Amino acid sequence: MENRFETFTSLILQISRSIQRIKSLEMTEFDLQGVHAMCLFYLYRNPGGLTQGELARLCLEDKASVSRAVAGLAARGLVVDTQPSVAKKYNAKILLTPEGGGVAARVAEKAGRALLVGAEGLDGAGRESLYRQLETISQNLERYIASSQVPVRRK
């Protein structure tokens, strides 16, 4: 059991760190960060736009981080806010500009290439099985967390 824990956590952490390094490496071309890559990727996949809250959920980032990322992308002319005069931006749809769409298409292409390299040696059935198993593990761990929630004591 102990070896399984070490192996599982080490492999998951190693994969996560590799993904972070790939995002950093691939985004240097655009002078952007990993969170920008994820925002661009999801906006590219959702041409009708997404709110900052939706982006935060999809990117697995907090709203403040996504808000800063969107502000940076807007300053670069890669995204536009559909409600620029509204103070609270979390409900406004964010859309890619034509330039942002071009960058996002290249980000999606780079992500696809990295995914192909990561999946080398897996056939279609093996890859589908891996994703199903990872989804099951993720759901099981989320359920464990939910059932183990202990209220935080404040001093």
Side-chain angles (χ1 to χ4, degrees):
M1 175 73 164
E2 190 173 312
N3 188 37
R4 217 172 27 189
F5 174 78
E6 290 173 13
T7 301
F8 177 78
T9 55
S10 294
L11 289 172
I12 293 296
L13 286 171
Q14 186 175 3
I15 291 168
S16 178
R17 287 183 180 138
S18 293
I19 291 168
Q20 294 305 318
R21 283 192 301 240
I22 290 167
K23 284 194 266 185
S24 292
L25 288 170
E26 295 292 0
M27 291 300 96
T28 57
E29 173 185 343
F30 309 111
D31 193 28
L32 296 171
Q33 298 172 343
V35 67
H36 296 123
M38 297 311 297
C39 289
L40 290 169
F41 177 81
Y42 284 114
L43 288 168
Y44 182 72
R45 298 279 309 265
N46 295 275
L50 295 167
T51 66
Q52 288 187 26
E54 290 168 331
L55 276 173
R57 183 181 52 77
L58 290 168
C59 296
L60 303 176
E61 295 282 347
D62 61 74
K63 288 182 180 181
S65 177
V66 168
S67 179
R68 288 188 299 272
V70 167
L73 292 170
R76 301 264 313 265
L78 301 177
V79 300
V80 292
D81 179 346
T82 59
Q83 298 176 352
S85 62
V86 176
K88 293 186 178 183
K89 302 290 186 185
Y90 292 115
N91 292 322
K93 293 279 186 181
I94 307 301
L95 300 169
L96 291 170
T97 63
E99 181 183 358
V103 172
R106 291 174 51 207
V107 167
E109 178 187 318
K110 289 173 178 285
R113 243 189 348 260
L115 193 58
L116 284 174
V117 170
E120 283 179 7
L122 295 175
D123 62 15
R127 186 172 39 253
E128 291 303 316
S129 175
L130 172 66
Y131 291 149
R132 274 194 315 277
Q133 292 169 8
L134 286 172
E135 186 172 0
T136 298
I137 291 168
S138 178
Q139 290 169 352
N140 290 343
L141 292 175
E142 287 295 322
R143 193 169 44 253
Y144 175 82
I145 291 167
S147 70
S148 301
Q149 291 292 320
V150 176
V152 177
R153 290 180 14 178
R154 308 240 185 233
K155 291 185 181 184

